[in-house]
Amino acid sequence: MTTHHYRAQPPEALLVRPLDDLTLLYHRPSGQTHMVVSPVPEILAALQQGAADAATLHARLSREFDLGDPAQAQAEIAAHLAEMAALGVVSRA
Amino acid sequence: MRHSLTLRIGPATFRVGSAWRAPVDDLARLYADYPQERDAIADFTVRLDPTSALRRFFRPSIHITGDHGLADAAPMSLAHGLLAAEMGMNLQMALGWRRHLLLHASSVEKDGRALVMTGESGSGKSTLAAQLGERGWRLMGDEFALLDCVTGALHPFPRLVSLKNKAIDVIASEVSESRMGPLLAATAKGDIRHLVPRADAVARMAQPAMPALLLFPRFGGEAAVRPVGQGEVFMRLTQASTNYVALGEPAFAALSRFVATVPAAAIDFPSGDAGIALVDQLWADLP
């Protein structure tokens, strides 16, 4: 399986507004509003430390969160990253 | 147009033209206390014309040219002409208004703060707002609430209240006949009568208020109050807005701020009195 690297959008491209039960994202280039829940906001925050692939992000996130089985968690992070890239809220590095 | 009227409702100015005198006379009577600005440049034009079907155009200037009922049955043109004019003005706002985030919601004001109520047609939000408007609240609007994307204030749009079916008798029993429009029987939404808002609602229609409470009313069932999460509130308000996408980032900023700062609840109520009691209780509990 190919490992993709992803990077965060420039700060001016994405507005992030946490609500009590989910997080709103406003993607300026598309004008689209997205409603997301964990772990998407956490992945976005972890990408602020620099471009990364799923394995690196897993390492960053596991410092703060108990992610369970590493192989499964890493696969889930990879799937989320692919979906987030499709929406334009992250980019392939 | 042979007969016309230019009137202002809240921040919007409408020019209504009609091939018949009767609908314009009805409007002139019911909107007598609203600013009528003969020479104003109207935001929107509504035309009642008998030559073709009632149509929708996705442009600010909509021609309501009379449906087949209007064209075929002269006696119906009087009653349904008023309904067509009201529908025309609503469509103009829903499709063309850009100065505020438009929410399909009723709103009332007390002590400078606004209560906003949104829900499906038939939820009771319009009747509840009309009843509150007769009980010490200022009616800001029964159909559209206009959220200022910069200040976060809610602006009134106090057009005639559209009362449907059972709500007609409830309200007619407590207001003077002079504030009621003609009975429009057997329309697509059932029987309809229009209510003229109280004089203070019209006189103060340029005064905004900061939103303080959002309710999702539902008529029927035992009286109950249920919490609604902010995510669901946001989603339902974007669905209740006709211009959220068109306004772009200012709408996102205004709506996300509204959702994060205005408490919200869903209420069920079996009767108007029970609904009013719930509203009073929730209002009293606000910080």
Side-chain angles (χ1 to χ4, degrees):
Chain A
M1 193 177 117
T2 319
T3 301
H4 296 299
H5 281 68
Y6 296 88
R7 58 181 155 75
Q9 292 283 308
E12 63 273 16
L14 198 64
L15 302 180
V16 182
R17 295 281 180 276
L19 298 178
D20 62 7
D21 51 355
L22 51 74
T23 297
L24 300 174
L25 306 177
Y26 184 79
H27 185 237
R28 279 178 166 154
S30 67
Q32 284 188 305
T33 304
H34 304 290
M35 305 173 76
V36 298
V37 295
S38 244
V40 172
E42 291 79 5
I43 291 174
L44 283 172
L47 274 179
Q48 295 299 320
Q49 298 170 34
D53 60 5
T56 310
L57 276 175
H58 178 264
R60 288 177 190 168
L61 289 166
S62 59
R63 280 181 226 133
E64 283 187 73
F65 304 101
D66 178 6
L67 300 179
D69 176 56
Q72 189 184 340
Q74 201 170 310
E76 286 175 9
I77 291 169
H80 279 297
L81 284 167
E83 288 175 11
M84 291 161 73
L87 295 177
V89 299
V90 300
S91 305
R92 290 265 291 272
Chain B
M1 288 279 95
R2 295 175 60 189
H3 309 282
S4 70
L5 180 72
T6 301
L7 57 91
R8 184 154 57 83
I9 304 172
T13 308
F14 299 88
R15 180 173 169 81
V16 183
S18 172
W20 304 279
R21 173 184 293 278
V24 170
D25 285 351
D26 275 344
L27 287 174
R29 175 174 84 80
L30 296 169
Y31 283 103
D33 292 333
Y34 289 64
Q36 296 186 18
E37 302 169 336
R38 182 175 296 273
D39 298 322
I41 297 172
D43 293 302
F44 299 117
T45 300
V46 176
R47 289 167 52 124
L48 304 183
D49 195 314
T51 56
S52 63
L54 192 79
R55 295 169 69 184
R56 296 180 179 190
F57 289 87
F58 287 85
R59 292 210 175 90
S61 192
I62 299 172
H63 292 198
I64 290 200
T65 51
D67 59 19
H68 292 296
L70 282 173
D72 294 345
M76 289 179 64
S77 68
L78 175 68
H80 289 186
L82 173 61
L83 180 61
E86 286 288 312
M87 285 173 59
M89 289 191 280
N90 278 347
L91 274 171
Q92 311 277 355
M93 286 298 287
L95 299 175
W97 193 251
R98 292 290 182 272
R99 275 180 259 164
H100 303 89
L101 180 66
L102 188 148
L103 299 172
H104 188 218
S106 65
S107 55
V108 293
E109 175 263 355
K110 191 187 267 187
D111 301 327
R113 303 201 295 170
L115 161 65
V116 186
M117 295 178 282
T118 187
E120 299 293 314
S121 184
S123 64
K125 66 181 187 300
S126 185
T127 310
L128 195 50
Q131 288 182 297
L132 291 168
E134 302 300 321
R135 288 169 172 76
W137 297 72
R138 169 170 65 116
L139 179 75
M140 296 178 72
D142 83 313
E143 182 87 9
F144 295 136
L146 307 174
L147 184 66
D148 188 309
C149 289
V150 175
T151 65
L154 208 68
H155 287 255
F157 185 68
R159 42 150 255 172
L160 302 180
V161 179
S162 175
L163 301 169
K164 298 178 190 78
N165 300 318
K166 288 178 182 170
I168 295 173
D169 290 340
V170 170
I171 302 294
S173 68
E174 56 181 293
V175 307
S176 74
E177 183 64 21
S178 65
R179 288 179 50 210
M180 298 293 294
L183 174 66
L184 312 179
T187 74
K189 291 186 173 179
D191 292 350
I192 289 180
R193 271 188 95 177
H194 292 95
L195 166 73
V196 180
R198 290 171 63 93
D200 66 315
V202 177
R204 296 174 60 199
M205 69 183 191
Q207 292 179 20
M210 290 307 286
L213 178 64
L214 171 69
L215 294 178
F216 296 92
R218 192 171 61 188
F219 179 77
E222 291 292 301
V225 179
R226 287 168 288 115
V228 186
Q230 291 179 352
E232 184 180 349
V233 172
F234 185 88
M235 189 176 66
R236 288 171 73 162
L237 289 178
T238 57
Q239 290 168 347
S241 174
T242 55
N243 63 4
Y244 172 77
V245 172
L247 292 186
E249 185 175 334
F252 173 81
L255 200 62
S256 56
R257 182 171 54 176
F258 180 105
V259 170
T261 56
V262 178
I267 59 170
D268 293 350
F269 53 101
S271 68
D273 286 342
I276 290 162
L278 279 178
V279 167
D280 285 342
Q281 175 201 324
L282 291 166
W283 192 257
D285 291 344
L286 286 178

